[in-house]
Amino acid sequence: MTDSRSPSALSCAEPDPAITSRLKKTATGAQHQDAIYRAISDAVIEHRLKPGARLREDALAEVFGISRTGIRKVLQRLAMEQLVTLTPGKGASVTRPSAEEAHEVFEARRLVEGGLLAKLTRRVNADELQELRALADQEQQALHEREQSDAIKLSAAFHNRLAALVGNQTLTRFVDQLCSRSSLILAMYGHAGNLGCECGDHSQLIDLLQAGKSDQAAEFMGRHLDSIEASLSIDDAPEEAPDLRNIFSAYQ
C-alpha cells in the first residue's frame, strides 16, 4: 500500500514524539558520559588519581549517578587513550607506565614537539603568542602559589596548544595523548613540588617563536623535555584505593 501524501507533505510531517524522546535521551546520555570522561581524565592529569589506583565500576556509578554500563563505556574510552588499564577479572585501574614506557614517551615527545615548532614559527601570529604567554603566566603563578595540580594541568595545556596552533588535528590528538601519559609518568616517578623543568622555560620558548628562531626553539624544546625526564626517579610505587567520592566531590 502506497502513501498518498505528496513528498512535500511527508517532508513537513511532525517528527514521531517517541523517536524524538529517544534521540534526546541518547544525546543527554552521551553528554553525561563526556562530562564523566573529562572529570576522570582531569583527575589523572592533575594527579588526584595516581597510577595504579583502582577504579571500581560500582563506586564510580554511584559517584556520578550513572549506570555501570555507562561507566564501562567511559572506562573503555580512557583505556583506548592508555590512561586506564582494563584487566579481565580485576577491573579498571589508572595505568602504571613502566620505566621503558616513560623513556619512550619522552623520546616521542622530543621528536614530535621539536618537529612541529619549525612549522609553528612560520605561522604563529601576535594574538596566538599572547594566548601562549597567558598560559605560561598562569602556570608560573600556580607554581608560585604551590598549586601543583593546577600547574600540571596548565603545563599540559600549553604543550597541547602549541600543537593545536600548527593546524594538524591528527598531530594535536597525538600530542594530547602524549601529554596525558606524561602526567601519569610524573605522578608515578616525579617529586612533589617539582615539574621537572624551570618555571620560565615556556616563556623562553615563546620568545624564540616570536623571534622566528625555529632551530633554536626546537633545540630548546628538546632540552626542556630532557630536564623533565632527568628529574624522574624510577622506582616502584604501591597501588592505592582512592577515595572516589572525595576526588569527584565537585562533580556532585
Side-chain angles (χ1 to χ4, degrees), residues 27-187:
T28 301
Q31 291 170 355
H32 194 185
Q33 289 178 21
D34 280 343
I36 296 169
Y37 162 82
R38 288 192 298 272
I40 297 176
S41 179
D42 285 349
V44 172
I45 292 170
E46 296 170 9
H47 297 186
R48 288 181 285 118
L49 278 174
K50 304 294 185 181
R54 287 190 59 203
L55 301 173
R56 288 173 43 207
E57 288 182 4
D58 57 344
L60 287 170
E62 181 180 352
V63 166
F64 290 111
I66 193 174
S67 68
R68 291 184 64 171
T69 299
I71 284 294
R72 198 169 295 125
K73 290 180 180 179
V74 173
L75 293 175
Q76 288 170 348
R77 180 178 172 186
L78 290 163
M80 289 180 64
E81 298 186 4
Q82 297 180 298
L83 292 179
V84 165
T85 297
L86 302 177
T87 306
K90 292 186 177 180
S93 61
V94 178
T95 298
R96 291 170 56 90
S98 67
E100 182 179 2
E101 288 171 336
H103 294 311
E104 288 178 353
V105 165
F106 279 98
E107 181 180 11
R109 288 190 64 179
R110 281 189 288 270
L111 291 170
V112 174
E113 295 189 65
L116 65 82
L117 288 176
K119 186 174 182 180
L120 180 58
T121 303
R122 294 192 298 269
R123 63 178 292 160
V124 68
N125 61 43
D127 289 341
E128 291 166 344
L129 287 168
Q130 185 175 357
E131 179 187 357
L132 290 170
R133 287 196 187 280
L135 281 172
D137 289 345
Q138 291 173 41
E139 179 191 358
Q140 290 190 44
Q141 182 66 25
L143 285 170
H144 178 72
E145 296 176 356
R146 299 186 181 278
E147 295 290 344
Q148 179 83 347
S149 293
D150 288 344
I152 290 166
K153 191 173 183 178
L154 288 164
S155 178
F158 178 88
H159 285 266
N160 290 339
R161 189 57 183 153
L162 282 177
L165 290 174
V166 173
N168 184 315
Q169 293 185 6
T170 300
L171 181 63
T172 301
R173 286 194 295 269
F174 185 43
V175 171
D176 183 47
Q177 291 174 9
L178 287 173
C179 287
S180 295
R181 293 183 69 188
S182 295
S183 180
L184 279 172
I185 291 163
L186 282 167

Side-chain angles (χ1 to χ4, degrees), residues 13-26:
E14 291 293 326
D16 186 326
I19 294 176
T20 302
S21 177
R22 285 198 297 271
L23 288 174
K24 286 182 178 179
K25 287 180 179 178
T26 300

Side-chain angles (χ1 to χ4, degrees), residues 218-239:
E219 290 175 4
F220 188 87
M221 176 66 82
R223 294 195 300 272
H224 173 64
L225 294 171
D226 281 343
S227 67
I228 297 174
E229 184 178 5
S231 74
L232 304 176
S233 296
I234 308 297
D235 55 16
D236 292 327
E239 293 187 4

